[in-house]
Coordinates of all heavy atoms in Angstrom, one line a residue:
M22 N 98.3 -220.3 -8.8 CA 99.2 -219.7 -9.8 C 100.6 -219.6 -9.1 O 100.7 -219.1 -8.0 CB 98.6 -218.3 -10.1 CG 98.2 -218.3 -11.5 SD 97.8 -216.6 -12.1 CE 96.1 -216.4 -11.8
D23 N 101.6 -219.9 -9.9 CA 103.0 -219.7 -9.4 C 103.3 -218.2 -9.5 O 102.6 -217.4 -10.1 CB 103.9 -220.6 -10.1 CG 104.1 -220.4 -11.5 OD1 103.9 -219.2 -12.0 OD2 104.6 -221.3 -12.2
T24 N 104.4 -217.9 -9.0 CA 104.9 -216.4 -9.0 C 105.1 -215.9 -10.3 O 104.6 -214.7 -10.6 CB 106.2 -216.3 -8.1 OG1 106.0 -216.9 -6.8 CG2 106.6 -214.9 -8.0
A25 N 105.7 -216.6 -11.2 CA 105.9 -216.1 -12.6 C 104.6 -215.9 -13.3 O 104.4 -214.9 -14.1 CB 106.8 -217.1 -13.4
Q26 N 103.7 -216.9 -13.1 CA 102.4 -216.8 -13.8 C 101.6 -215.6 -13.3 O 101.0 -214.9 -14.0 CB 101.6 -218.1 -13.6 CG 100.2 -218.1 -14.3 CD 99.5 -219.4 -14.2 OE1 99.9 -220.3 -13.4 NE2 98.4 -219.6 -14.8
T27 N 101.6 -215.4 -11.9 CA 100.9 -214.2 -11.3 C 101.5 -212.9 -11.9 O 100.8 -212.0 -12.2 CB 101.1 -214.3 -9.8 OG1 100.4 -215.6 -9.4 CG2 100.4 -213.2 -9.1
A28 N 102.9 -212.8 -11.9 CA 103.5 -211.6 -12.4 C 103.1 -211.3 -13.8 O 102.8 -210.2 -14.2 CB 105.0 -211.7 -12.2
L29 N 103.0 -212.4 -14.7 CA 102.7 -212.2 -16.1 C 101.2 -211.8 -16.2 O 100.8 -210.9 -17.0 CB 102.9 -213.5 -16.9 CG 102.7 -213.4 -18.3 CD1 103.4 -212.2 -19.1 CD2 103.1 -214.7 -19.0
F30 N 100.4 -212.3 -15.4 CA 98.9 -212.0 -15.4 C 98.7 -210.6 -15.0 O 97.9 -209.9 -15.6 CB 98.2 -213.0 -14.4 CG 96.7 -212.7 -14.3 CD1 95.9 -213.3 -15.3 CD2 96.1 -212.1 -13.3 CE1 94.5 -213.1 -15.4 CE2 94.7 -212.0 -13.2 CZ 94.0 -212.4 -14.3
Y31 N 99.4 -210.1 -13.9 CA 99.3 -208.7 -13.5 C 99.8 -207.7 -14.6 O 99.3 -206.6 -14.8 CB 99.9 -208.5 -12.1 CG 99.1 -209.0 -11.0 CD1 99.6 -209.9 -10.1 CD2 97.8 -208.6 -10.9 CE1 98.8 -210.4 -9.1 CE2 97.0 -209.1 -9.9 CZ 97.5 -210.0 -9.0 OH 96.7 -210.5 -7.9
R32 N 100.9 -208.1 -15.2 CA 101.5 -207.4 -16.3 C 100.4 -207.2 -17.4 O 100.3 -206.0 -18.0 CB 102.7 -208.0 -16.8 CG 103.5 -207.1 -17.7 CD 104.5 -206.4 -17.0 NE 105.5 -205.8 -17.8 CZ 106.0 -204.6 -17.6 NH1 105.7 -203.9 -16.6 NH2 106.7 -204.1 -18.5
I33 N 99.8 -208.3 -17.7 CA 98.7 -208.1 -18.8 C 97.6 -207.3 -18.3 O 97.1 -206.4 -19.1 CB 98.2 -209.6 -19.1 CG1 99.1 -210.4 -19.9 CG2 96.8 -209.5 -19.9 CD1 98.9 -211.9 -19.9
S34 N 97.2 -207.3 -17.1 CA 96.2 -206.4 -16.6 C 96.6 -205.0 -16.6 O 95.8 -204.1 -17.0 CB 95.9 -206.8 -15.1 OG 95.4 -208.1 -14.9
Q35 N 97.9 -204.7 -16.4 CA 98.4 -203.3 -16.5 C 98.3 -202.8 -17.9 O 97.9 -201.7 -18.1 CB 99.8 -203.3 -15.9 CG 100.0 -203.4 -14.5 CD 101.4 -203.7 -14.0 OE1 102.3 -204.0 -14.8 NE2 101.6 -203.6 -12.7
Y36 N 98.7 -203.6 -18.8 CA 98.8 -203.2 -20.2 C 97.3 -203.0 -20.7 O 97.0 -202.1 -21.6 CB 99.5 -204.2 -21.1 CG 101.0 -203.8 -21.1 CD1 101.8 -204.2 -20.1 CD2 101.5 -203.0 -22.1 CE1 103.1 -203.8 -20.0 CE2 102.9 -202.8 -22.2 CZ 103.7 -203.1 -21.1 OH 105.1 -202.7 -21.1
R37 N 96.4 -203.9 -20.3 CA 95.0 -203.8 -20.6 C 94.4 -202.4 -20.1 O 93.7 -201.7 -20.9 CB 94.1 -204.9 -20.1 CG 94.1 -206.1 -21.0 CD 93.0 -207.1 -20.6 NE 93.1 -208.2 -21.5 CZ 93.0 -209.4 -21.1 NH1 92.9 -209.7 -19.8 NH2 93.0 -210.3 -22.0
F38 N 94.8 -202.1 -18.9 CA 94.3 -200.8 -18.3 C 94.8 -199.7 -19.1 O 94.1 -198.7 -19.5 CB 94.8 -200.7 -16.9 CG 94.5 -199.4 -16.2 CD1 93.2 -199.2 -15.7 CD2 95.4 -198.4 -16.2 CE1 92.9 -197.9 -15.1 CE2 95.0 -197.2 -15.6 CZ 93.8 -197.0 -15.1
M39 N 96.0 -199.7 -19.5 CA 96.7 -198.6 -20.3 C 95.9 -198.5 -21.7 O 95.6 -197.4 -22.1 CB 98.2 -198.7 -20.5 CG 99.0 -198.5 -19.3 SD 98.7 -196.8 -18.6 CE 99.2 -195.8 -19.9
C40 N 95.7 -199.6 -22.3 CA 95.0 -199.6 -23.6 C 93.6 -199.0 -23.5 O 93.1 -198.2 -24.3 CB 94.9 -201.0 -24.2 SG 96.5 -201.6 -24.8
V41 N 92.8 -199.4 -22.4 CA 91.5 -198.9 -22.2 C 91.5 -197.4 -22.0 O 90.8 -196.6 -22.6 CB 90.8 -199.6 -21.1 CG1 89.5 -198.9 -20.7 CG2 90.5 -201.1 -21.5
E42 N 92.5 -197.0 -21.1 CA 92.5 -195.5 -20.8 C 92.9 -194.7 -22.0 O 92.4 -193.6 -22.3 CB 93.5 -195.3 -19.6 CG 93.0 -195.8 -18.3 CD 91.8 -195.1 -17.9 OE1 91.7 -193.9 -17.8 OE2 90.8 -195.8 -17.5
L43 N 93.9 -195.2 -22.7 CA 94.3 -194.4 -24.0 C 93.2 -194.4 -25.0 O 93.0 -193.5 -25.7 CB 95.6 -195.1 -24.5 CG 96.9 -194.6 -23.8 CD1 98.0 -195.6 -24.2 CD2 97.2 -193.2 -24.0
N44 N 92.5 -195.5 -25.1 CA 91.3 -195.6 -26.0 C 90.2 -194.6 -25.7 O 89.8 -193.9 -26.5 CB 90.8 -197.0 -26.1 CG 89.9 -197.2 -27.2 OD1 90.0 -196.5 -28.2 ND2 88.9 -198.2 -27.1
I45 N 90.0 -194.5 -24.4 CA 89.0 -193.5 -24.0 C 89.5 -192.1 -24.3 O 88.8 -191.2 -24.8 CB 88.7 -193.6 -22.5 CG1 87.9 -194.9 -22.2 CG2 88.0 -192.5 -21.9 CD1 87.8 -195.3 -20.7
Y46 N 90.7 -191.8 -24.0 CA 91.4 -190.5 -24.3 C 91.3 -190.2 -25.8 O 90.9 -189.1 -26.2 CB 92.8 -190.4 -23.8 CG 93.5 -189.2 -24.2 CD1 93.3 -188.0 -23.4 CD2 94.3 -189.1 -25.3 CE1 94.0 -186.8 -23.7 CE2 95.0 -187.9 -25.6 CZ 94.8 -186.8 -24.8 OH 95.4 -185.6 -25.2
L47 N 91.6 -191.2 -26.6 CA 91.6 -191.0 -28.0 C 90.2 -190.8 -28.6 O 90.0 -190.1 -29.6 CB 92.2 -192.1 -28.8 CG 93.8 -192.2 -28.6 CD1 94.3 -193.5 -29.1 CD2 94.4 -191.0 -29.4
D48 N 89.1 -191.2 -27.9 CA 87.8 -190.9 -28.3 C 87.5 -189.4 -28.3 O 86.7 -189.0 -29.0 CB 86.8 -191.6 -27.4 CG 86.6 -193.1 -27.6 OD1 87.1 -193.5 -28.7 OD2 86.1 -193.8 -26.7
T49 N 88.1 -188.7 -27.4 CA 87.9 -187.2 -27.2 C 89.0 -186.4 -27.8 O 88.9 -185.2 -27.9 CB 87.7 -186.9 -25.8 OG1 88.8 -187.3 -25.0 CG2 86.4 -187.5 -25.2
H50 N 90.2 -187.1 -28.1 CA 91.3 -186.4 -28.7 C 91.9 -187.2 -29.8 O 93.0 -187.7 -29.8 CB 92.4 -186.2 -27.6 CG 92.0 -185.4 -26.4 ND1 91.2 -186.0 -25.4 CD2 92.2 -184.1 -26.1 CE1 91.1 -185.1 -24.5 NE2 91.6 -183.9 -24.9
P51 N 91.0 -187.3 -30.9 CA 91.5 -188.3 -32.0 C 92.7 -187.8 -32.8 O 93.3 -188.5 -33.5 CB 90.3 -188.3 -32.9 CG 89.5 -187.0 -32.6 CD 89.8 -186.7 -31.1
D52 N 93.1 -186.5 -32.7 CA 94.2 -185.9 -33.4 C 95.6 -186.0 -32.7 O 96.5 -185.5 -33.2 CB 94.0 -184.5 -33.9 CG 92.7 -184.4 -34.8 OD1 92.5 -185.4 -35.5 OD2 92.0 -183.4 -34.7
D53 N 95.6 -186.5 -31.5 CA 96.8 -186.6 -30.6 C 97.6 -187.7 -31.1 O 97.5 -188.9 -30.8 CB 96.4 -186.8 -29.2 CG 97.5 -186.7 -28.2 OD1 98.8 -186.9 -28.7 OD2 97.3 -186.3 -27.0
A54 N 98.6 -187.4 -31.9 CA 99.5 -188.5 -32.6 C 100.3 -189.2 -31.5 O 100.6 -190.3 -31.6 CB 100.4 -187.8 -33.6
N55 N 100.8 -188.5 -30.4 CA 101.6 -189.1 -29.4 C 100.7 -190.2 -28.6 O 101.2 -191.2 -28.3 CB 102.1 -188.1 -28.4 CG 103.2 -187.2 -29.1 OD1 103.9 -187.6 -30.0 ND2 103.3 -186.0 -28.6
A56 N 99.5 -189.8 -28.3 CA 98.6 -190.8 -27.7 C 98.3 -192.0 -28.6 O 98.3 -193.1 -28.1 CB 97.3 -190.1 -27.2
R57 N 98.1 -191.7 -29.8 CA 97.9 -192.9 -30.7 C 99.1 -193.7 -30.9 O 98.9 -195.0 -30.9 CB 97.5 -192.3 -32.1 CG 97.2 -193.4 -33.1 CD 96.4 -192.9 -34.3 NE 95.2 -192.2 -34.0 CZ 94.1 -192.6 -33.6 NH1 94.0 -193.9 -33.4 NH2 93.0 -191.9 -33.3
A58 N 100.2 -193.1 -30.9 CA 101.5 -194.0 -31.0 C 101.7 -194.8 -29.7 O 102.0 -196.0 -29.7 CB 102.7 -193.1 -31.2
D59 N 101.4 -194.1 -28.5 CA 101.5 -194.9 -27.2 C 100.4 -196.0 -27.2 O 100.8 -197.1 -26.8 CB 101.1 -193.9 -26.1 CG 102.2 -193.0 -25.7 OD1 103.4 -193.2 -26.3 OD2 102.0 -192.0 -25.1
Y60 N 99.2 -195.7 -27.7 CA 98.2 -196.8 -27.7 C 98.7 -198.0 -28.6 O 98.5 -199.1 -28.1 CB 96.9 -196.3 -28.3 CG 95.8 -197.4 -28.5 CD1 95.1 -197.9 -27.4 CD2 95.6 -197.9 -29.7 CE1 94.2 -198.9 -27.6 CE2 94.8 -198.9 -29.9 CZ 94.1 -199.4 -28.8 OH 93.2 -200.4 -29.0
L61 N 99.2 -197.7 -29.8 CA 99.7 -198.9 -30.6 C 100.8 -199.6 -30.0 O 100.9 -200.8 -30.1 CB 100.0 -198.3 -32.0 CG 98.9 -197.7 -32.9 CD1 99.4 -197.0 -34.1 CD2 97.9 -198.7 -33.2
C62 N 101.7 -198.9 -29.3 CA 102.8 -199.6 -28.6 C 102.3 -200.5 -27.5 O 102.7 -201.6 -27.4 CB 103.8 -198.4 -28.1 SG 105.2 -199.2 -27.2
Y63 N 101.4 -199.9 -26.6 CA 100.8 -200.7 -25.5 C 100.0 -201.9 -26.1 O 100.1 -203.0 -25.6 CB 100.0 -199.9 -24.6 CG 100.8 -199.1 -23.7 CD1 101.0 -197.7 -23.8 CD2 101.4 -199.7 -22.5 CE1 101.7 -197.0 -22.9 CE2 102.1 -199.0 -21.6 CZ 102.3 -197.6 -21.8 OH 103.1 -196.9 -20.9
A64 N 99.3 -201.7 -27.2 CA 98.4 -202.8 -27.7 C 99.3 -203.9 -28.3 O 99.0 -205.1 -28.1 CB 97.5 -202.2 -28.8
R65 N 100.4 -203.5 -29.0 CA 101.3 -204.6 -29.5 C 101.9 -205.4 -28.4 O 102.0 -206.6 -28.4 CB 102.4 -204.0 -30.4 CG 102.0 -203.7 -31.8 CD 103.2 -203.3 -32.7 NE 103.8 -202.0 -32.3 CZ 103.3 -200.8 -32.8 NH1 102.4 -200.8 -33.7 NH2 104.0 -199.7 -32.4
R66 N 102.4 -204.7 -27.4 CA 102.9 -205.4 -26.2 C 101.9 -206.2 -25.5 O 102.2 -207.3 -25.1 CB 103.6 -204.4 -25.3 CG 104.3 -205.0 -24.1 CD 105.5 -205.8 -24.6 NE 106.2 -206.3 -23.4 CZ 106.6 -207.5 -23.3 NH1 106.5 -208.4 -24.3 NH2 107.2 -208.1 -22.2
L67 N 100.7 -205.7 -25.3 CA 99.7 -206.5 -24.8 C 99.4 -207.8 -25.5 O 99.4 -208.8 -24.9 CB 98.4 -205.7 -24.7 CG 97.1 -206.4 -24.1 CD1 97.3 -207.0 -22.8 CD2 95.9 -205.5 -24.3
N68 N 99.3 -207.7 -26.8 CA 99.2 -208.9 -27.6 C 100.4 -209.9 -27.4 O 100.2 -211.2 -27.3 CB 99.0 -208.6 -29.0 CG 97.7 -208.1 -29.4 OD1 96.6 -208.4 -28.6 ND2 97.5 -207.2 -30.3
Q69 N 101.6 -209.4 -27.3 CA 102.8 -210.2 -27.0 C 102.6 -211.0 -25.7 O 103.0 -212.1 -25.6 CB 104.1 -209.5 -27.1 CG 104.4 -208.9 -28.5 CD 105.5 -207.9 -28.5 OE1 106.0 -207.4 -27.5 NE2 106.0 -207.6 -29.7
L70 N 102.3 -210.2 -24.7 CA 102.1 -210.8 -23.4 C 101.1 -211.8 -23.3 O 101.3 -212.8 -22.7 CB 101.8 -209.7 -22.3 CG 102.9 -208.7 -22.1 CD1 102.5 -207.5 -21.2 CD2 104.1 -209.4 -21.3
I71 N 99.9 -211.6 -24.0 CA 98.8 -212.6 -24.0 C 99.3 -213.8 -24.7 O 99.1 -214.9 -24.2 CB 97.6 -212.0 -24.7 CG1 97.0 -211.0 -23.7 CG2 96.6 -213.1 -25.0 CD1 95.8 -210.1 -24.4
D72 N 100.1 -213.7 -25.8 CA 100.6 -214.8 -26.5 C 101.5 -215.6 -25.6 O 101.5 -216.9 -25.6 CB 101.3 -214.4 -27.9 CG 100.3 -213.9 -29.0 OD1 99.1 -214.2 -28.7 OD2 100.8 -213.2 -29.9
Q73 N 102.3 -214.9 -24.9 CA 103.3 -215.5 -24.0 C 102.6 -216.3 -22.9 O 102.9 -217.5 -22.6 CB 104.3 -214.5 -23.4 CG 105.2 -215.1 -22.4 CD 106.1 -214.0 -21.7 OE1 106.1 -212.8 -22.1 NE2 106.7 -214.5 -20.7
Y74 N 101.6 -215.7 -22.3 CA 100.8 -216.3 -21.2 C 100.2 -217.6 -21.7 O 100.2 -218.7 -21.1 CB 99.7 -215.3 -20.7 CG 99.0 -215.9 -19.5 CD1 99.4 -215.6 -18.3 CD2 97.9 -216.8 -19.6 CE1 98.7 -216.2 -17.1 CE2 97.3 -217.3 -18.6 CZ 97.7 -217.0 -17.3 OH 97.0 -217.5 -16.3
E75 N 99.5 -217.5 -22.9 CA 98.8 -218.6 -23.4 C 99.8 -219.8 -23.9 O 99.4 -220.9 -23.8 CB 97.9 -218.2 -24.6 CG 96.7 -217.4 -24.1 CD 95.7 -216.9 -25.1 OE1 96.1 -216.9 -26.3 OE2 94.6 -216.5 -24.7
A76 N 100.9 -219.4 -24.3 CA 101.9 -220.4 -24.7 C 102.4 -221.2 -23.5 O 102.6 -222.4 -23.5 CB 103.0 -219.8 -25.4
E77 N 102.6 -220.5 -22.4 CA 103.1 -221.1 -21.2 C 102.1 -221.8 -20.3 O 102.3 -222.7 -19.6 CB 103.9 -220.0 -20.4 CG 105.1 -219.6 -21.1 CD 105.9 -218.4 -20.3 OE1 105.7 -218.4 -19.0 OE2 106.6 -217.7 -20.9
Y78 N 100.9 -221.1 -20.2 CA 99.9 -221.5 -19.2 C 98.4 -221.9 -19.7 O 97.6 -222.3 -19.0 CB 99.7 -220.4 -18.1 CG 101.0 -220.0 -17.5 CD1 101.6 -218.8 -17.9 CD2 101.6 -220.8 -16.6 CE1 102.7 -218.4 -17.3 CE2 102.7 -220.4 -16.0 CZ 103.4 -219.2 -16.3 OH 104.6 -218.8 -15.8
G79 N 98.2 -221.8 -21.0 CA 97.0 -222.1 -21.6 C 96.1 -220.9 -21.8 O 96.6 -219.7 -21.6
P80 N 94.9 -221.1 -22.3 CA 94.1 -219.9 -22.7 C 93.8 -219.0 -21.5 O 93.6 -219.4 -20.4 CB 92.9 -220.5 -23.2 CG 93.0 -222.0 -23.2 CD 94.3 -222.3 -22.5
L81 N 93.9 -217.7 -21.8 CA 93.5 -216.7 -20.8 C 92.0 -216.4 -20.8 O 91.5 -216.3 -19.7 CB 94.3 -215.4 -21.1 CG 94.3 -214.3 -20.1 CD1 94.9 -214.8 -18.8 CD2 95.1 -213.1 -20.6
L82 N 91.4 -216.4 -21.9 CA 89.9 -216.2 -22.1 C 89.4 -217.3 -23.0 O 90.1 -217.8 -23.9 CB 89.6 -214.8 -22.7 CG 90.2 -213.6 -21.9 CD1 89.9 -212.4 -22.8 CD2 89.4 -213.5 -20.6
N83 N 88.2 -217.6 -22.8 CA 87.5 -218.5 -23.6 C 86.2 -218.0 -24.2 O 85.1 -218.5 -24.1 CB 87.2 -219.9 -22.9 CG 86.8 -221.0 -23.8 OD1 87.1 -221.0 -25.0 ND2 86.0 -221.9 -23.3
F84 N 86.4 -216.9 -24.9 CA 85.3 -216.3 -25.6 C 85.5 -216.0 -27.1 O 85.3 -215.0 -27.7 CB 85.0 -214.9 -24.9 CG 84.7 -215.0 -23.5 CD1 85.5 -214.6 -22.5 CD2 83.4 -215.5 -23.1 CE1 85.2 -214.7 -21.2 CE2 83.1 -215.7 -21.7 CZ 84.0 -215.2 -20.8
G85 N 86.1 -217.1 -27.7 CA 86.5 -217.0 -29.1 C 87.8 -216.3 -29.4 O 88.1 -216.1 -30.6
Q86 N 88.5 -215.9 -28.4 CA 89.7 -215.1 -28.6 C 90.9 -216.0 -28.6 O 92.0 -215.5 -29.1 CB 89.8 -214.0 -27.5 CG 88.6 -212.9 -27.6 CD 88.7 -212.0 -26.4 OE1 89.5 -212.0 -25.6 NE2 87.6 -211.2 -26.4
S87 N 90.8 -217.1 -28.0 CA 92.0 -217.9 -27.9 C 91.6 -219.3 -28.4 O 90.6 -219.9 -27.9 CB 92.4 -218.1 -26.4 OG 92.7 -216.9 -25.8
P88 N 92.3 -219.8 -29.4 CA 92.1 -221.1 -29.9 C 92.3 -222.2 -28.8 O 93.3 -222.1 -28.1 CB 93.0 -221.3 -31.1 CG 94.1 -220.3 -30.8 CD 93.6 -219.2 -30.0
T89 N 91.4 -223.1 -28.6 CA 91.6 -224.1 -27.6 C 91.1 -225.5 -28.2 O 90.3 -225.5 -29.1 CB 90.7 -223.8 -26.4 OG1 89.3 -223.8 -26.8 CG2 91.0 -222.6 -25.7
E90 N 91.6 -226.5 -27.6 CA 91.0 -227.9 -27.9 C 89.7 -228.1 -27.0 O 89.7 -227.4 -26.0 CB 92.0 -228.9 -27.5 CG 93.3 -228.9 -28.3 CD 94.3 -229.9 -27.9 OE1 93.9 -230.9 -27.2 OE2 95.5 -229.7 -28.1
T91 N 88.8 -228.8 -27.5 CA 87.6 -229.0 -26.8 C 87.8 -229.5 -25.4 O 88.5 -230.5 -25.3 CB 86.7 -230.0 -27.6 OG1 86.5 -229.5 -28.9 CG2 85.3 -230.1 -27.0
G92 N 87.3 -228.8 -24.4 CA 87.4 -229.3 -23.0 C 88.7 -228.8 -22.4 O 88.8 -229.0 -21.2
C93 N 89.7 -228.4 -23.1 CA 91.0 -228.0 -22.6 C 90.9 -226.9 -21.5 O 91.5 -227.0 -20.5 CB 91.9 -227.6 -23.7 SG 93.5 -226.8 -23.2
Y94 N 90.0 -225.9 -21.8 CA 90.0 -224.8 -20.9 C 89.4 -225.1 -19.6 O 90.0 -224.7 -18.5 CB 89.1 -223.7 -21.6 CG 89.1 -222.3 -20.8 CD1 90.3 -221.5 -20.9 CD2 88.1 -221.9 -20.1 CE1 90.3 -220.3 -20.2 CE2 88.1 -220.8 -19.4 CZ 89.2 -220.0 -19.5 OH 89.2 -218.7 -18.8
V95 N 88.3 -225.8 -19.5 CA 87.7 -226.2 -18.3 C 88.5 -227.2 -17.4 O 88.3 -227.3 -16.2 CB 86.3 -226.7 -18.4 CG1 85.4 -225.6 -19.1 CG2 86.2 -227.9 -19.2
M96 N 89.4 -227.9 -18.1 CA 90.1 -228.9 -17.3 C 91.4 -228.3 -16.8 O 92.1 -228.9 -15.9 CB 90.5 -230.1 -18.2 CG 89.3 -230.8 -18.8 SD 88.1 -231.3 -17.5 CE 88.8 -232.8 -17.0
S97 N 91.9 -227.1 -17.3 CA 93.1 -226.6 -16.7 C 92.9 -225.7 -15.6 O 91.8 -225.4 -15.3 CB 93.8 -225.8 -17.9 OG 93.0 -224.7 -18.3
Q98 N 93.9 -225.2 -14.9 CA 93.8 -224.3 -13.8 C 93.3 -222.9 -14.3 O 93.8 -222.4 -15.4 CB 95.1 -224.2 -13.1 CG 95.1 -223.3 -11.9 CD 96.4 -223.3 -11.1 OE1 97.5 -223.4 -11.8 NE2 96.4 -223.1 -9.9
W99 N 92.4 -222.3 -13.7 CA 91.8 -221.1 -14.2 C 92.7 -219.9 -13.7 O 93.5 -220.0 -12.7 CB 90.4 -220.9 -13.6 CG 89.5 -221.9 -14.2 CD1 89.7 -223.2 -14.4 CD2 88.2 -221.6 -14.8 NE1 88.7 -223.8 -15.0 CE2 87.7 -222.8 -15.3 CE3 87.4 -220.5 -14.9 CZ2 86.4 -222.9 -15.9 CZ3 86.2 -220.6 -15.5 CH2 85.7 -221.8 -16.0
P100 N 92.7 -218.8 -14.4 CA 93.7 -217.7 -14.2 C 93.6 -217.1 -12.8 O 94.6 -216.7 -12.2 CB 93.2 -216.6 -15.2 CG 92.6 -217.3 -16.3 CD 92.0 -218.5 -15.7
W101 N 92.5 -217.2 -12.1 CA 92.5 -216.7 -10.8 C 92.8 -217.7 -9.6 O 92.8 -217.4 -8.5 CB 91.0 -216.1 -10.5 CG 89.9 -217.0 -10.7 CD1 89.5 -218.0 -9.8 CD2 89.2 -217.2 -11.9 NE1 88.5 -218.7 -10.4 CE2 88.2 -218.2 -11.7 CE3 89.2 -216.5 -13.2 CZ2 87.4 -218.6 -12.7 CZ3 88.3 -217.0 -14.1 CH2 87.4 -218.0 -13.9
E102 N 93.0 -218.9 -10.1 CA 93.3 -220.0 -9.1 C 94.8 -220.0 -8.7 O 95.6 -219.8 -9.5 CB 92.9 -221.3 -9.6 CG 91.5 -221.5 -9.8 CD 91.0 -222.8 -10.3 OE1 91.6 -223.4 -11.2 OE2 90.1 -223.4 -9.7

C-alpha cells in the first residue's frame, strides 16, 4: 500500500472505531441528542471515506457491501498488503 492509501485506510479505521463506540454509548443513553448527532456526523463521513477509498483503490470489503466485478477483488491488492 502506498502512503496515501495507508493514510486513508487508517482514517477509515478511526471513523469506524468512533461509530462503534458511539453506537455502544447510544445503546445505554438513547436520549443523548449530542451523541446521536455526533454518530450521524461520523457515520456520514465514514461512508464518504469508504466511497473515496473504493473509487481510488477498489473494494474495501467483499461481503456484499461493495459492488464488484466477478474476480476483481481477488485479483487486486488486498487492503493489508
Side-chain angles (χ1 to χ4, degrees):
M22 249 193 266
D23 66 25
T24 305
Q26 184 179 6
T27 301
L29 184 54
F30 183 78
Y31 284 124
R32 190 92 168 143
I33 289 169
S34 297
Q35 292 167 345
Y36 275 81
R37 274 198 178 130
F38 176 81
M39 287 302 300
C40 287
V41 168
E42 291 297 309
L43 283 166
N44 193 24
I45 292 169
Y46 176 81
L47 286 167
D48 283 344
T49 58
H50 300 81
D52 297 326
D53 189 334
N55 289 331
R57 182 163 308 282
D59 286 346
Y60 172 80
L61 293 172
C62 180
Y63 280 105
R65 277 191 293 273
R66 183 65 179 134
L67 173 60
N68 285 328
Q69 292 170 347
L70 290 169
I71 290 171
D72 289 344
Q73 178 186 348
Y74 184 95
E75 290 182 342
E77 293 178 25
Y78 305 107
L81 190 58
L82 300 171
N83 190 26
F84 299 108
Q86 298 172 4
S87 304
T89 62
E90 296 178 22
T91 305
C93 168
Y94 188 76
V95 296
M96 301 307 278
S97 64
Q98 187 176 27
W99 291 47
W101 55 84
E102 293 181 315

